[in-house]
Amino acid sequence: AALRKQRRKQQHKASCKRHALYVDFSDVGWNEWIVAPPGYHAFYCHGECPFPLADHLNSTNHAIVQTLVNSVNSNIPRACCVPTDLSPISLLYLDEYEKVILKNYQDMVVEGCGCR
Amino acid sequence: GATGLIPEVGRRKYSESGKQTPEQSESFLNEFELRLLNMFGLRRRPTPSKQAVVPQYMVDLYRMHSANGDHSTKRPKSMGKHADRAASKANTIRSFHHEESMEALASLKGKTTQQFYFNLTSIPDEELITSAELRIYRDQVMGAAAPNNSSRNSSTAGGFHRINIYEIFGVPATHSGEPLARLLDTRLVQDSLSRWESFDVSPAVSQWTSGKGHNHGFMVEVLHPEEGEMDGEHAQRRSRHVRVSRSLHQDQDSWPQARPLLVTYGHDGRGDSVLHTREKRQ
């Protein structure tokens, strides 16, 4: 039972899900012109999309069928673990003319991941 | 990373991966660089100088709109109602300081006029400006008591002055003549308070940025109705407290944060407004 539990845990760990990723603008040298924020939680999606796809993996009909085909023909790849819901963030920055701009940028933060 | 948005380390790692020829690598990297710049609406990497000033108002707006910020942050007190409405529809808010080399200041008895020019050419063509506010800071006039009921009832004099904002739409035929101008906004303000005043200049800025009108700038007129009756020192003090020009501003250190500011609210057609984002998250 313990072995089954551990295996299940490992399998769950490896399946597609959202992971923490903090983007620090100073790491890419953008802190010189981005005034605020200094960085943000962007997150990323990673993990397997195993057969059979579980409900919580937000899959599409196509992904379910692709996974089914993969189970009988490994030449066809599994569905991919990708962002399914993204949200914007506001950035306060100086442009190339030193004008100060507050702008809303779409699709900057991963809110949910799924197999697609 | 000094010249582009891709850090030098990333560039080097990709070039050294050996997947492509050096020429191909350079071409792919340049293409990606262009996509990054396009994403931010930039033509090249910004390299702001140390003298670059970030207006406090823009920081306040960022705090108000930021999804990651403190949700209890309310709109800045001095934000005009028209600006508040505009911000709810905008996804880009830009701030501009005027070109000081092109300012024209005139001070006659009881009246100060200042002509401003704001260079708005950095606003992209695809951005639709829905609103604009001209913000002017004025200091409390020392010694000006808050008006009592009797002074409130007595016309404009005694603790009040009037600020008129005009759009300049033509230059005078002669150098001595006044510019052709139309009134955009006006307000009677109280001397005993220090605060930013916000004026609606949306009609002019919308016309300029949409190409329907030529940007000749604004004219700010400050009327001090009772100045003629004052002694010289008091009159001079009163004319200096509306911060429309560096030459009227005694404290040079605070001028960058007290100088007039033009704020535009626009939408480039990509996604939600800044305010909607915050409401959605809440």
Side-chain angles (χ1 to χ4, degrees), chain B residues 10-25:
Chain B
R11 267 186 176 270
R12 204 173 49 243
K13 275 187 179 173
Y14 181 75
S15 303
E16 289 169 3
S17 65
K19 287 174 188 165
Q20 286 97 18
T21 62
E23 292 78 25
Q24 278 177 326
S25 292

Side-chain angles (χ1 to χ4, degrees), chain A residues 89-93 101-105, chain B residues 39-41 91-94 127 268 270 274:
Chain A
I89 59 162
S90 294
L91 294 181
L92 181 68
Y93 66 94
I101 301 171
L102 171 61
K103 196 171 170 74
N104 195 36
Y105 287 96
Chain B
M39 184 185 118
F40 283 108
N91 77 345
T92 309
I93 304 175
R94 296 173 188 270
E127 193 173 307
D268 60 5
R270 298 185 202 176
V274 278

Side-chain angles (χ1 to χ4, degrees), chain A residues 3-111:
Chain A
L3 195 67
R4 262 204 310 275
K5 196 176 171 186
Q6 197 183 351
R7 203 175 293 157
R8 214 170 31 238
K9 201 176 167 187
Q10 277 173 350
Q11 198 174 13
H12 183 68
K13 257 188 178 176
S15 62
C16 175
K17 67 172 186 180
R18 191 174 81 149
H19 297 264
L21 166 65
Y22 182 77
V23 176
D24 190 330
F25 291 132
S26 62
D27 287 347
V28 286
W30 293 1
N31 56 326
E32 291 164 15
W33 56 279
I34 297 181
V35 179
Y40 77 105
H41 292 281
F43 302 99
Y44 70 97
C45 298
H46 186 67
E48 294 289 319
C49 292
F51 172 81
L53 283 176
D55 262 0
H56 69 268
L57 291 176
N58 295 322
S59 44
T60 55
N61 288 343
H62 179 270
I64 292 168
V65 173
Q66 187 178 333
T67 309
L68 183 69
V69 174
N70 166 264
S71 71
V72 292
N73 178 3
S74 57
N75 286 337
I76 302 300
R78 284 178 177 174
C80 296
C81 177
V82 293
T84 52
D85 185 19
L86 293 141
S87 64
I89 59 162
S90 294
L91 294 181
L92 181 68
Y93 66 94
L94 289 143
D95 71 3
E96 61 269 52
Y97 309 104
E98 291 196 357
K99 306 287 184 206
V100 181
I101 301 171
L102 171 61
K103 196 171 170 74
N104 195 36
Y105 287 96
Q106 294 300 294
D107 302 339
M108 295 286 278
V109 179
V110 175
E111 296 290 341

